[in-house]
Amino acid sequence: MRPRLVLFGDSITEMSFADGGWGAGLADRFARQADVVLRGLSGYNTRWALKVLPRAMEGAAAAGADPAAVTVFFGANDAALPDQKQAHQHVPLGEYQSNLRAICGYFKEHWPSTAIILITPPPIYEPARILDMYGDDDPSRQPERTNEAAGAYAQACMAVAKELDYPVIDIWTKMQEFPDWQTAALSDGLHFTPAGNKILFNEVVKRLASIGISLEKLPSDLPLFHDIDPKDPMKAFD
Amino acid sequence: MRPRLVLFGDSITEMSFADGGWGAGLADRFARQADVVLRGLSGYNTRWALKVLPRAMEGAAAAGADPAAVTVFFGANDAALPDQKQAHQHVPLGEYQSNLRAICGYFKEHWPSTAIILITPPPIYEPARILDMYGDDDPSRQPERTNEAAGAYAQACMAVAKELDYPVIDIWTKMQEFPDWQTAALSDGLHFTPAGNKILFNEVVKRLASIGISLEKLPSDLPLFHDIDPKDPMKAFD
């Protein structure tokens, strides 16, 4: 049976099948090798994600077959500042870490053979957040998310990954290596442009390859067209 | 459990998660309501598809839950001319129809409650096919597919849909209503540009809505962010 890749996260996962999205990119790349299962929950933090986890995963795995991998990509909402406009999304840093451990623990218990890949929250471009939240770019306003806070949650996510010995993608750091990431990679200071999606896509592909999930290593589901003998096509299906 | 939409077809299905693809568009549209399952087999005709059908559908349905709908989108390869370069993909018109009936019969038997949506082969732009096949546009060459042949298979597909009383999308006719469809909707005289994908996407969305599968009618998997009370978020999850 085709292995499955489950994408679990917040809006950056939910929106990952929009044009140029990293989820669609994975489904396209592994079109003949694996199923990509979308479980993105816009606005959710780890507290809410943990609460709905069993319901969110209904139907995500095939009966009797653990998914090959699951990406766990939360923190952008947990890192919303506790004293600003999106305070109700905020989750304290320590709870964010214990929620991540609990989410991973749930997967380990229910899908013991599934590889868990953690993804840190992305960087934040504050002027764009102010514009998105308030409709103007008055610099005296406070953004509801800061890059510094997102960075602290990214570090916290990395620490959990290290502690559990799981692969992790530090998209907070990685994205900031790109020129003009603030507007080239982010559309509103938080969500991803197609270029930002491509950065994450490339990182996920690399991390999947490091655990044996790659174009080269996964078998094809059925005979590929170029392997079908034009002189005797039906032979391929025996 | 989230309902499933299964996309079964040839390369135009297999490539439907590329940038601007109609499959990715469906996954994005129904991100909080349904799973889109990709089962595209590049180069396949209905004869080969029928042969591999049980294997192709492994894992496509959840245990004990028929998919909500399946699209059956073959014919572009069946309609390859029997005396040209891709002759080994050709399936005679009558067999194409009986294969379509058998594919639909398989779904009816295994997934009795699943809606089956047939899609006709798309139109063909012959000069682009000659270029794609031979690397030049020498008009003395013969294309391996013609729009006339594709049209005959489209009519045959429509006839099967009428006979079985299944919804059908006549993309052969629909696409030719668009200005400059030859190069605006088709990238190589056969496969779809993002604009071509959008044409099919819109038709699939309309046809799904006609059988009750729409943004408005499908329930959300879990509470939506804008329905979560900022003053008491956890209430949404009780």
Side-chain angles (χ1 to χ4, degrees), chain A residues 35-85:
Chain A
D35 288 338
V36 179
V37 179
L38 177 59
R39 290 294 184 273
L41 300 167
S42 279
Y44 278 48
N45 54 36
T46 53
R47 189 187 293 160
W48 306 349
L50 186 58
K51 186 86 183 169
V52 301
L53 187 47
R55 281 168 66 195
M57 292 304 141
E58 280 175 15
D66 294 351
V70 57
T71 54
V72 176
F73 186 9
F74 287 99
N77 298 316
D78 301 60
L81 300 181
D83 56 356
Q84 297 296 331
K85 203 173 177 181

Side-chain angles (χ1 to χ4, degrees), chain B residues 4-68:
Chain B
R4 292 194 187 180
L5 312 174
V6 178
L7 313 183
F8 185 44
D10 55 32
S11 55
I12 306 173
T13 298
E14 182 177 318
M15 295 160 66
S16 70
F17 282 74
D19 277 359
W22 64 281
L26 292 171
D28 182 50
R29 184 176 184 86
F30 297 116
R32 294 300 301 277
Q33 299 173 303
D35 288 337
V36 179
V37 180
L38 177 59
R39 288 295 184 272
L41 299 166
S42 278
Y44 278 48
N45 53 35
T46 54
R47 189 187 294 161
W48 306 348
L50 186 57
K51 187 85 181 168
V52 301
L53 187 46
R55 279 168 66 194
M57 292 304 142
E58 281 176 14
D66 294 351

Side-chain angles (χ1 to χ4, degrees), chain B residues 91-109:
Chain B
V91 170
L93 200 61
E95 187 193 333
Y96 168 65
Q97 289 188 301
S98 64
N99 289 342
L100 277 185
R101 283 187 205 102
I103 290 168
C104 294
Y106 179 90
F107 287 131
K108 268 293 155 207
E109 186 189 336

